[in-house]
Amino acid sequence: MSFSGKCNIGFLWSELLESFDFGSKHPIQIGRFRMLRDFIRENGFLDCPNVQIINPELLSEELLKKTHSAEYIAKIQNISETGVGDIDIDTPGFKNIYFHSRIASGASVTGVHSVMSGDIDHFISPTGGFHHASFEKGGGFCIINDVAASVLALKEYGLKRILVADFDVHHGNGTQTYFYDDPDVMQISFHEDPEWMFPHDGLIHDIGSGAGRGYNINMHFPMDAGDSVYQYAYDELVPKLVNFYKPDFIIFIPGFDAHYLDRLAHLTITTDMIRYISESIHKAAHRHSDGRMGVLTGGGYTRTSLKWGFATVMSVLADHPYQPPVQEPPFEDDEETWNVVRSNVSKVKDLVFSELGI
Ligand SMILES: [Zn+2]
Ligand SMILES: [Zn+2]
C-alpha cells in the first residue's frame, strides 16, 4: 500500500510490445498496446502517485524451456529467423517472432517478480493471457503461454495455491493442459459454449484429474448471455471456490472479448460486469493473498470496449475514478438463456463442489 492507503500498481509497458506483425487483416493489430497506454494516460492514471510504469523483461530461456517443448521452441526460432511459416492457421509467423513472444510473455513474468519482491501490490499488463498455447504448440493468437510461465515462476517462490481466474470469452484450453492434475493451481474459466466457440474445449465435466480433481472449473454460457446471468453464475460459483481455496496469488484475466461490442464471440456483457468481477477478485486478493495479484489482458478485439474494459480494471485496482459511456447491449437475458445458465451452474456445483467438499 502507498502512503495514500491506495494499492501500488505496476503497469507493464514498453514500445517493444508493439514488435509484432500478424498482418493487416488480423484481429490483433499494431498500435493496440500503445492505444491502451494512451487511453489510461488521457484518463489520468499515469499521473497517479500509486501507479508506476514497469519495463517488461524478456522471458528467460530457462523459464521458456519449462513452459514449452524444445521442438516447439525450435519451431518459433526457425520462423523468427526466416520469416517463413505459421504458429497455426490463426497465428501467422513473422520475422523476430521469437523476440516478440519473449517480451510479450516476459511482461507477465516481470509483473510477477515485481509483486513478489513487494515493490507493488498488483500488476496489470496490456498484453498477456496467451492461454491457448500448450507445452507442445501455440495457436489461437498465442505463441508462448505466459499464464503457465507466470504460474511456474510463482511455484519457484514456493507458492502452493495459485488461482487462475480466466474470464476471457474463449476457454483457457492451453493453460488447462499444464495443471490438470495439480491441486496447487486452481483454474476457473468462464467462456462461451465450446460447441460453437473456439477452441471447442472447456466442458463442465472436465474438472481435473488425479490429485487435481475439482481444481479445474469450466463454466460456459450460451450465445447472447449478458450481465444478469453472468453475475448469477459468478455469485453462485466464484466466491465459494475462492474462499475455499484461499489462494496465495491470483492471476486474473478479465473478459474484454465477452463484451457485447466484441464481434469475435457472442456474449453480451458490459463494463458493469467487468467492474463487478474486478472488484470482487481484487477484494479476494486482499482477503487471501496479501494483495498479490496480476492482471493479464487476454482478448478484446473491438477498440472501444477493450479500452473501456482496461481502464475499468485499472480504476478498481488504482482507486482512481473512471466511468465508461453508458452501454446498451442488444439483448436482455431471456428465459431460455436463464434456463441454460441455471442448469450449467448446477452441473458445475454437482461435480466440483461435491469433489472439493464445499
Ligand atoms: Zn489492491
Ligand atoms: Zn479470447
Side-chain angles (χ1 to χ4, degrees):
M1 291 261 182
S2 63
F3 292 119
S4 60
K6 295 183 177 185
C7 302
N8 285 316
I9 311 302
F11 170 64
L12 273 299
W13 170 256
S14 153
E15 290 287 343
L16 296 174
L17 296 179
E18 297 283 1
S19 60
F20 63 94
D21 181 9
F22 288 132
S24 63
K25 298 218 161 58
H26 197 271
I28 299 186
Q29 283 294 309
I30 294 171
R32 169 191 178 91
F33 307 128
R34 194 174 298 120
M35 183 271 294
L36 290 174
R37 189 272 315 265
D38 292 349
F39 190 68
I40 61 166
R41 188 162 62 189
E42 283 158 24
N43 282 280
F45 286 100
L46 299 184
D47 298 323
C48 295
N50 61 326
V51 175
Q52 59 179 281
I53 293 176
I54 295 178
N55 198 29
E57 286 169 22
L58 280 178
L59 185 74
S60 71
E61 287 185 7
E62 189 195 347
L63 192 50
L64 177 59
K65 282 180 191 157
K66 285 185 170 184
T67 311
H68 290 293
S69 68
E71 292 74 17
Y72 178 51
I73 295 169
K75 176 181 170 172
I76 304 171
Q77 286 170 326
N78 195 276
I79 294 173
S80 194
E81 280 160 28
T82 61
V84 176
D86 296 322
I87 298 296
D88 81 340
I89 190 169
D90 295 320
T91 320
F94 51 89
K95 263 203 159 208
N96 293 325
I97 192 172
Y98 184 60
F99 173 85
H100 169 71
S101 56
R102 281 177 65 208
I103 197 80
S105 55
S108 308
V109 175
T110 305
V112 162
H113 292 315
S114 299
V115 170
M116 292 307 293
S117 69
D119 287 348
I120 52 172
D121 299 294
H122 321 303
F123 77 84
I124 179 164
S125 169
T127 181
F130 302 117
H131 58 176
H132 299 310
S134 62
F135 186 71
E136 267 130 12
K137 61 181 193 323
F141 314 165
C142 303
I143 305 155
I144 295 173
N145 191 321
D146 62 307
V147 190
S150 296
V151 169
L152 295 170
L154 285 164
K155 280 172 170 271
E156 288 176 4
Y157 284 98
L159 296 195
K160 284 276 183 267
R161 293 185 309 281
I162 299 155
L163 172 65
V164 177
D166 183 345
F167 297 91
D168 187 281
V169 80
H170 305 97
H171 174 235
N173 60 323
T175 315
Q176 175 176 292
T177 59
Y178 286 87
F179 309 110
Y180 202 61
D181 57 1
D182 183 356
D184 294 352
V185 182
M186 174 181 272
Q187 170 160 312
I188 302 173
S189 181
F190 275 31
H191 45 267
E192 187 172 341
D193 196 325
E195 195 181 324
W196 56 78
M197 179 48 63
F198 180 87
H200 308 293
D201 193 357
L203 297 169
I204 290 170
H205 63 243
D206 296 331
I207 65 163
S209 63
R213 259 184 88 77
Y215 294 89
N216 188 82
I217 299 97
N218 287 319
M219 168 66 204
H220 54 74
F221 293 84
M223 210 176 272
D224 300 338
D227 282 359
S228 316
V229 290
Y230 206 90
Q231 183 178 336
Y232 166 79
Y234 183 91
D235 288 344
E236 288 291 312
L237 300 173
V238 180
K240 291 184 186 88
L241 288 164
V242 174
N243 289 332
F244 162 81
Y245 196 54
K246 299 182 178 59
D248 44 26
F249 196 106
I250 300 178
I251 295 173
F252 173 41
I253 303 174
F256 299 149
D257 54 5
H259 194 277
Y260 74 91
L261 290 177
D262 205 292
R263 291 179 299 181
L264 233 56
H266 320 92
L267 298 196
T268 63
I269 72 164
T270 70
T271 51
D272 292 347
M273 191 46 40
I274 289 166
R275 175 170 287 276
Y276 183 84
I277 291 174
S278 303
E279 284 175 347
S280 169
I281 298 281
H282 179 224
K283 278 187 197 137
H286 284 285
R287 191 178 311 125
H288 301 295
S289 320
D290 200 19
R292 291 187 292 261
M293 92 184 256
V295 183
L296 312 178
T297 305
Y301 307 99
T302 296
R303 287 195 167 204
T304 38
S305 47
L306 172 60
K307 68 186 184 184
W308 297 342
F310 194 82
T312 297
V313 178
M314 281 290 293
S315 160
V316 171
L317 300 186
D319 191 19
H320 174 76
Y322 166 75
Q323 190 59 52
V326 174
Q327 294 148 64
E328 282 166 17
F331 309 105
E332 298 256 318
D333 290 323
D334 61 15
E335 205 44 46
E336 195 188 332
T337 303
W338 269 106
N339 288 339
V340 175
V341 172
R342 279 201 195 94
S343 160
N344 287 357
V345 164
S346 123
K347 282 181 206 157
V348 174
K349 283 181 167 176
D350 286 347
L351 280 165
V352 173
F353 286 14
S354 57
E355 187 70 39
L356 298 176
I358 296 179

